[in-house]
Amino acid sequence: MKTMKTAIYPGSFDPITFGHLDIIRRAADIFDKVVVCVMINSEKKTMFTIEERMDLISRVIGDFPNVEVDTWNGLLAEYAMNYQDAVIIKGLRAISDFESEFQMAIINKKINPYLETLFLSASEQYTYLSSSAVKEMAKYGADLSEFVPEEIIDDVIRKSQMRR
Ligand code: ADP
């Protein structure tokens, strides 16, 4: 039987939230290896630099022996060619996520026909959670402890204060 060993979990992770971590944890239970890939998207204005986002992720995935962080400046379908038997993992929060995710999955498959995209449904308690909501809350000094891991709360608060 053919097994798929590596799950690539792409996104902007600006910053990583409990919603992302939940997907990582579940994917790490299913696959031998999970690579969290911080995608460089020049169109998107981000709060944290690529290096900072990778550092925040590294700090919160310490407990998972089979999870790594990487970054890629280019097409995801090309990045996946660096791995044998890799699949793309995405989290789906709502119908609103579906349309663009479905479109991207088809485009990725056109570029790399062997590349499958698998969707994990968001856990109920995180369906409302997004990096942009976290940034908005940080801006107004809200308690972030339900949304991002303890280890990175100060970084998020500090950064949002620098930007005000
Ligand atoms: P965001 O929409 O938070 O800016 P990213 O671009 O970093 O998200 O998202 C990377 C991936 O994580 C996407 O597949 C997205 O659907 C998924 N994701 C984001 N937030 C959650 C969440 N709260 N629960 C499940 N999946 C999520």
Side-chain angles (χ1 to χ4, degrees):
M1 200 180 85
K2 195 166 153 62
T3 52
M4 284 179 279
K5 294 189 165 56
T6 303
I8 300 167
Y9 180 38
S12 29
F13 306 104
D14 185 44
I16 187 163
T17 69
F18 278 136
H20 296 127
L21 262 183
D22 179 60
I23 298 289
I24 293 169
R25 182 177 303 117
R26 289 158 61 199
D29 277 346
I30 301 169
F31 293 92
D32 291 339
K33 183 159 104 173
V34 177
V35 181
V36 181
C37 188
V38 183
M39 301 300 289
I40 301 175
N41 179 350
S42 51
E43 309 272 287
K44 249 191 189 173
K45 265 210 143 156
T46 58
M47 184 179 206
F48 292 96
T49 65
I50 291 285
E51 291 73 22
E52 288 167 336
R53 281 177 271 156
M54 290 178 76
D55 174 60
L56 297 179
I57 297 167
S58 301
R59 275 156 48 195
V60 301
I61 58 166
D63 291 345
F64 306 107
N66 59 339
V67 180
E68 297 171 6
V69 191
D70 199 2
T71 182
W72 183 249
N73 187 3
L75 293 171
L76 180 60
E78 286 173 358
Y79 176 77
M81 289 174 191
N82 292 320
Y83 296 87
Q84 274 197 329
D85 293 342
V87 295
I88 305 294
I89 287 286
K90 288 294 190 113
L92 276 189
R93 282 163 291 190
I95 297 282
S96 50
D97 278 343
F98 179 80
E99 199 175 336
S100 60
E101 293 294 357
F102 191 68
Q103 190 181 21
M104 271 192 280
I106 291 172
I107 291 171
N108 284 332
K109 209 151 203 264
K110 280 209 186 300
I111 302 169
N112 179 347
Y114 299 103
L115 186 58
E116 296 293 351
T117 301
L118 302 181
F119 296 99
L120 289 178
S121 52
S123 294
E124 194 186 358
Q125 70 267 40
Y126 301 129
T127 45
Y128 65 89
L129 187 51
S130 67
S131 298
S132 35
V134 167
K135 283 180 274 194
E136 193 63 16
M137 286 184 286
K139 203 157 94 183
Y140 297 103
D143 175 11
L144 299 182
S145 57
E146 272 185 57
F147 314 120
V148 300
E150 184 79 47
E151 304 94 297
I152 70 166
I153 289 182
D154 285 348
D155 298 77
V156 178
I157 293 172
R158 209 175 311 124
K159 189 68 115 175
S160 70
Q161 281 167 356
M162 273 164 58
R163 284 155 55 104
R164 282 192 82 169

